[in-house]
Amino acid sequence: DLPRLIVNRPIRGEGFEGPEATQRFLDFTLAVPGFLQDLLGTGQWVLFEGFALERIPYLLTLSCALLGLVAINGLFKFQINTLKGRMGERMLRRLRYQLFDRVLRFPTPYIRRIKQAEIATMIKDEVEPLGGFIGDAFVQPAFLGGLALTALIFIMLQSFWLGLVAAAVVLVQAFLIPKLRRRILELGRQRQLAARALSGRIGEVVEGAVEIHAHDTSNFERAEITRRLGDIFLIRFELYRRKFFVKFLNNFLAQVTPFIFYAGGGYLAIT
């Protein structure tokens, strides 16, 4: 509300009707509950009276306060993102080391059968997105969970039954969405395996290009790659269908709560 306060009071002049009028800055007051007003003899409890400022000093003070709050918010985001990136990269480094350590433990006959391109792609490229995901896996649930809990508590303080309705919708989302995402995760694993196999097959073709030209099997190799690309296309298409359906369902359930509030709360308010 600070930008609105700057526009309404010092710029438009609300509260500064006279040339010597002042407004208080950093005044803190608490509303006294009704059952304590008779005991204390007042409806407000003044913690700090603040500073009386004229119009121009009040404008400059509010502007500096706004700039300071923006800077503090930016520093918080900078620190959070830096620590999040550091944690993600450290976990990614450890994961790559563990994968490489597992490769060294493979039996010799198995090492001879695996393809170099698949192993290199798996360690270098396939785990790369996890670097950004690991940090968000800790930060986003805490941030969004705190926002949801705050909103739920506020709604329940306003109306207990509407709060229960909102909690029920959240529970439905928490139960239904993860179940629908299981198939999406399975398709994602299939896509990774198919892409890994394609990479290995392309590596084999490149290594044996001389033999392919010598035996004139280019059409066979083209057909093989076409089949693999078709399999990847079908997997990705099914993945997109299910992923966007889950997104649609999640957004729809998120809008059910406002619908209930508007319809049910409006009906109760009218009647």
Side-chain angles (χ1 to χ4, degrees):
D1 292 339
L2 196 54
R4 181 175 58 85
L5 184 64
I6 294 174
V7 173
N8 291 338
R9 290 192 178 179
I11 295 179
R12 292 185 177 178
E14 294 182 4
F16 293 96
E17 286 76 11
E20 297 182 356
T22 60
Q23 288 287 333
R24 294 200 170 270
F25 178 70
L26 293 180
D27 54 324
F28 295 100
T29 58
L30 292 178
V32 178
F35 64 92
L36 293 178
Q37 291 182 4
D38 295 336
L39 179 63
L40 298 178
T42 180
Q44 290 183 343
W45 183 19
V46 180
L47 298 178
F48 182 63
E49 294 182 354
F51 305 97
L53 300 176
E54 296 182 354
R55 188 170 182 177
I56 298 299
Y58 190 63
L59 172 63
L60 296 178
T61 302
L62 290 180
S63 300
C64 292
L66 176 62
L67 182 61
L69 292 176
V70 170
I72 292 173
N73 185 42
L75 289 175
F76 272 119
K77 290 183 178 180
F78 168 75
Q79 188 68 13
I80 291 173
N81 291 329
T82 301
L83 294 178
K84 182 174 66 174
R86 179 186 177 187
M87 180 178 62
E89 289 301 321
R90 292 184 65 179
M91 295 293 292
L92 184 61
R93 180 185 65 180
R94 187 64 183 175
L95 178 60
R96 282 172 169 166
Y97 174 78
Q98 290 181 351
L99 290 174
F100 180 74
D101 183 65
R102 291 294 181 91
V103 171
L104 295 179
R105 296 182 183 182
F106 287 165
T108 303
Y110 185 77
I111 292 180
R112 292 174 179 173
R113 293 198 307 268
I114 61 177
K115 302 176 179 62
Q116 299 178 3
E118 292 185 14
I119 299 299
T121 301
M122 179 181 64
I123 296 178
K124 181 176 69 70
D125 296 329
E126 292 185 8
V127 299
E128 182 69 26
L130 294 177
F133 172 75
I134 291 173
D136 289 333
F138 292 94
V139 175
Q140 292 297 329
F143 177 70
L144 297 178
L147 289 179
L149 183 61
T150 303
L152 185 60
I153 293 175
F154 175 77
I155 294 173
M156 296 192 73
L157 290 177
Q158 300 298 318
S159 175
F160 178 75
W161 296 109
L162 290 179
L164 288 181
V165 172
V169 174
V170 172
L171 290 178
V172 170
Q173 287 180 282
F175 175 78
L176 185 61
I177 299 302
K179 286 186 173 297
L180 295 177
R181 286 186 58 84
R182 289 180 182 176
R183 178 58 181 169
I184 296 177
L185 297 177
E186 182 181 350
L187 289 172
R189 286 192 291 267
Q190 293 180 8
R191 180 180 62 85
Q192 288 288 347
L193 293 175
R196 192 181 304 166
L198 176 64
S199 176
R201 184 58 180 169
I202 292 175
E204 290 180 351
V205 171
V206 173
E207 290 179 0
V210 177
E211 288 79 6
I212 292 174
H213 288 295
H215 296 88
D216 194 19
T217 58
S218 300
N219 291 332
F220 174 79
E221 299 298 338
R222 292 189 183 95
E224 176 68 15
I225 296 300
T226 300
R227 182 188 64 81
R228 292 178 181 270
L229 292 175
D231 294 340
I232 294 177
F233 168 77
L234 294 177
I235 293 174
R236 292 179 67 91
F237 182 69
E238 182 67 17
L239 177 64
Y240 288 147
R241 289 181 64 253
R242 291 182 177 270
K243 181 174 70 174
F244 290 118
F245 173 75
V246 171
K247 186 176 181 180
F248 158 76
L249 183 61
N250 190 30
N251 293 334
F252 177 77
L253 291 177
Q255 298 302 320
V256 168
T257 304
F259 167 76
I260 296 175
F261 286 172
Y262 292 144
Y267 175 78
L268 294 176
I270 293 173
T271 57

PDB file of all heavy atoms in Angstrom, residues 254-267:
ATOM      1  N   ALA A 254      -8.587 -25.274  -9.109  1.00  0.00           N
ATOM      2  CA  ALA A 254      -8.195 -24.048  -8.410  1.00  0.00           C
ATOM      3  C   ALA A 254      -9.264 -22.972  -8.523  1.00  0.00           C
ATOM      4  O   ALA A 254      -9.399 -22.128  -7.625  1.00  0.00           O
ATOM      5  CB  ALA A 254      -6.867 -23.536  -8.967  1.00  0.00           C
ATOM      6  N   GLN A 255     -10.033 -22.986  -9.628  1.00  0.00           N
ATOM      7  CA  GLN A 255     -11.092 -21.991  -9.800  1.00  0.00           C
ATOM      8  C   GLN A 255     -12.421 -22.434  -9.204  1.00  0.00           C
ATOM      9  O   GLN A 255     -13.368 -21.643  -9.178  1.00  0.00           O
ATOM     10  CB  GLN A 255     -11.284 -21.693 -11.293  1.00  0.00           C
ATOM     11  CG  GLN A 255     -10.057 -21.101 -11.960  1.00  0.00           C
ATOM     12  CD  GLN A 255      -9.599 -19.820 -11.294  1.00  0.00           C
ATOM     13  OE1 GLN A 255     -10.412 -18.983 -10.901  1.00  0.00           O
ATOM     14  NE2 GLN A 255      -8.286 -19.667 -11.162  1.00  0.00           N
ATOM     15  N   VAL A 256     -12.496 -23.676  -8.744  1.00  0.00           N
ATOM     16  CA  VAL A 256     -13.730 -24.130  -8.105  1.00  0.00           C
ATOM     17  C   VAL A 256     -13.953 -23.400  -6.784  1.00  0.00           C
ATOM     18  O   VAL A 256     -15.086 -23.045  -6.432  1.00  0.00           O
ATOM     19  CB  VAL A 256     -13.687 -25.660  -7.897  1.00  0.00           C
ATOM     20  CG1 VAL A 256     -14.816 -26.120  -6.983  1.00  0.00           C
ATOM     21  CG2 VAL A 256     -13.796 -26.364  -9.235  1.00  0.00           C
ATOM     22  N   THR A 257     -12.868 -23.162  -6.053  1.00  0.00           N
ATOM     23  CA  THR A 257     -12.999 -22.475  -4.764  1.00  0.00           C
ATOM     24  C   THR A 257     -13.577 -21.069  -4.913  1.00  0.00           C
ATOM     25  O   THR A 257     -14.527 -20.716  -4.194  1.00  0.00           O
ATOM     26  CB  THR A 257     -11.636 -22.431  -4.059  1.00  0.00           C
ATOM     27  OG1 THR A 257     -11.127 -23.765  -3.925  1.00  0.00           O
ATOM     28  CG2 THR A 257     -11.765 -21.812  -2.686  1.00  0.00           C
ATOM     29  N   PRO A 258     -13.053 -20.198  -5.816  1.00  0.00           N
ATOM     30  CA  PRO A 258     -13.721 -18.901  -5.995  1.00  0.00           C
ATOM     31  C   PRO A 258     -15.173 -19.022  -6.436  1.00  0.00           C
ATOM     32  O   PRO A 258     -16.019 -18.218  -6.020  1.00  0.00           O
ATOM     33  CB  PRO A 258     -12.867 -18.208  -7.070  1.00  0.00           C
ATOM     34  CG  PRO A 258     -11.541 -18.848  -6.968  1.00  0.00           C
ATOM     35  CD  PRO A 258     -11.806 -20.264  -6.588  1.00  0.00           C
ATOM     36  N   PHE A 259     -15.479 -20.030  -7.274  1.00  0.00           N
ATOM     37  CA  PHE A 259     -16.865 -20.223  -7.691  1.00  0.00           C
ATOM     38  C   PHE A 259     -17.765 -20.514  -6.485  1.00  0.00           C
ATOM     39  O   PHE A 259     -18.865 -19.953  -6.354  1.00  0.00           O
ATOM     40  CB  PHE A 259     -16.944 -21.370  -8.698  1.00  0.00           C
ATOM     41  CG  PHE A 259     -18.344 -21.857  -8.951  1.00  0.00           C
ATOM     42  CD1 PHE A 259     -19.211 -21.129  -9.742  1.00  0.00           C
ATOM     43  CD2 PHE A 259     -18.793 -23.041  -8.377  1.00  0.00           C
ATOM     44  CE1 PHE A 259     -20.507 -21.573  -9.965  1.00  0.00           C
ATOM     45  CE2 PHE A 259     -20.078 -23.488  -8.596  1.00  0.00           C
ATOM     46  CZ  PHE A 259     -20.940 -22.755  -9.392  1.00  0.00           C
ATOM     47  N   ILE A 260     -17.294 -21.378  -5.599  1.00  0.00           N
ATOM     48  CA  ILE A 260     -18.088 -21.693  -4.410  1.00  0.00           C
ATOM     49  C   ILE A 260     -18.233 -20.468  -3.521  1.00  0.00           C
ATOM     50  O   ILE A 260     -19.309 -20.198  -2.970  1.00  0.00           O
ATOM     51  CB  ILE A 260     -17.443 -22.866  -3.650  1.00  0.00           C
ATOM     52  CG1 ILE A 260     -17.478 -24.137  -4.511  1.00  0.00           C
ATOM     53  CG2 ILE A 260     -18.146 -23.109  -2.326  1.00  0.00           C
ATOM     54  CD1 ILE A 260     -16.759 -25.306  -3.890  1.00  0.00           C
ATOM     55  N   PHE A 261     -17.156 -19.704  -3.390  1.00  0.00           N
ATOM     56  CA  PHE A 261     -17.226 -18.503  -2.559  1.00  0.00           C
ATOM     57  C   PHE A 261     -18.212 -17.490  -3.132  1.00  0.00           C
ATOM     58  O   PHE A 261     -19.031 -16.919  -2.407  1.00  0.00           O
ATOM     59  CB  PHE A 261     -15.842 -17.868  -2.438  1.00  0.00           C
ATOM     60  CG  PHE A 261     -14.915 -18.625  -1.536  1.00  0.00           C
ATOM     61  CD1 PHE A 261     -13.574 -18.284  -1.455  1.00  0.00           C
ATOM     62  CD2 PHE A 261     -15.369 -19.680  -0.766  1.00  0.00           C
ATOM     63  CE1 PHE A 261     -12.720 -18.980  -0.633  1.00  0.00           C
ATOM     64  CE2 PHE A 261     -14.522 -20.386   0.060  1.00  0.00           C
ATOM     65  CZ  PHE A 261     -13.192 -20.035   0.125  1.00  0.00           C
ATOM     66  N   TYR A 262     -18.123 -17.259  -4.449  1.00  0.00           N
ATOM     67  CA  TYR A 262     -19.015 -16.275  -5.058  1.00  0.00           C
ATOM     68  C   TYR A 262     -20.468 -16.735  -5.018  1.00  0.00           C
ATOM     69  O   TYR A 262     -21.367 -15.959  -4.662  1.00  0.00           O
ATOM     70  CB  TYR A 262     -18.593 -16.004  -6.505  1.00  0.00           C
ATOM     71  CG  TYR A 262     -17.276 -15.289  -6.631  1.00  0.00           C
ATOM     72  CD1 TYR A 262     -16.403 -15.579  -7.675  1.00  0.00           C
ATOM     73  CD2 TYR A 262     -16.888 -14.333  -5.701  1.00  0.00           C
ATOM     74  CE1 TYR A 262     -15.184 -14.931  -7.790  1.00  0.00           C
ATOM     75  CE2 TYR A 262     -15.675 -13.688  -5.809  1.00  0.00           C
ATOM     76  CZ  TYR A 262     -14.826 -13.987  -6.849  1.00  0.00           C
ATOM     77  OH  TYR A 262     -13.620 -13.345  -6.963  1.00  0.00           O
ATOM     78  N   ALA A 263     -20.689 -18.001  -5.393  1.00  0.00           N
ATOM     79  CA  ALA A 263     -22.063 -18.496  -5.452  1.00  0.00           C
ATOM     80  C   ALA A 263     -22.638 -18.711  -4.051  1.00  0.00           C
ATOM     81  O   ALA A 263     -23.692 -18.170  -3.704  1.00  0.00           O
ATOM     82  CB  ALA A 263     -22.114 -19.796  -6.258  1.00  0.00           C
ATOM     83  N   GLY A 264     -21.935 -19.511  -3.251  1.00  0.00           N
ATOM     84  CA  GLY A 264     -22.447 -19.809  -1.914  1.00  0.00           C
ATOM     85  C   GLY A 264     -22.416 -18.614  -0.984  1.00  0.00           C
ATOM     86  O   GLY A 264     -23.403 -18.305  -0.300  1.00  0.00           O
ATOM     87  N   GLY A 265     -21.265 -17.923  -0.958  1.00  0.00           N
ATOM     88  CA  GLY A 265     -21.175 -16.749  -0.091  1.00  0.00           C
ATOM     89  C   GLY A 265     -22.115 -15.642  -0.517  1.00  0.00           C
ATOM     90  O   GLY A 265     -22.727 -14.967   0.323  1.00  0.00           O
ATOM     91  N   GLY A 266     -22.261 -15.439  -1.837  1.00  0.00           N
ATOM     92  CA  GLY A 266     -23.205 -14.425  -2.309  1.00  0.00           C
ATOM     93  C   GLY A 266     -24.639 -14.770  -1.964  1.00  0.00           C
ATOM     94  O   GLY A 266     -25.435 -13.897  -1.582  1.00  0.00           O
ATOM     95  N   TYR A 267     -24.979 -16.054  -2.088  1.00  0.00           N
ATOM     96  CA  TYR A 267     -26.346 -16.476  -1.736  1.00  0.00           C
ATOM     97  C   TYR A 267     -26.623 -16.248  -0.253  1.00  0.00           C
ATOM     98  O   TYR A 267     -27.692 -15.748   0.129  1.00  0.00           O
ATOM     99  CB  TYR A 267     -26.525 -17.946  -2.096  1.00  0.00           C
ATOM    100  CG  TYR A 267     -27.856 -18.513  -1.667  1.00  0.00           C
ATOM    101  CD1 TYR A 267     -29.009 -18.258  -2.403  1.00  0.00           C
ATOM    102  CD2 TYR A 267     -27.948 -19.299  -0.519  1.00  0.00           C
ATOM    103  CE1 TYR A 267     -30.232 -18.770  -1.999  1.00  0.00           C
ATOM    104  CE2 TYR A 267     -29.162 -19.812  -0.109  1.00  0.00           C
ATOM    105  CZ  TYR A 267     -30.303 -19.550  -0.855  1.00  0.00           C
ATOM    106  OH  TYR A 267     -31.513 -20.056  -0.449  1.00  0.00           O
TER     107      TYR A 267
END
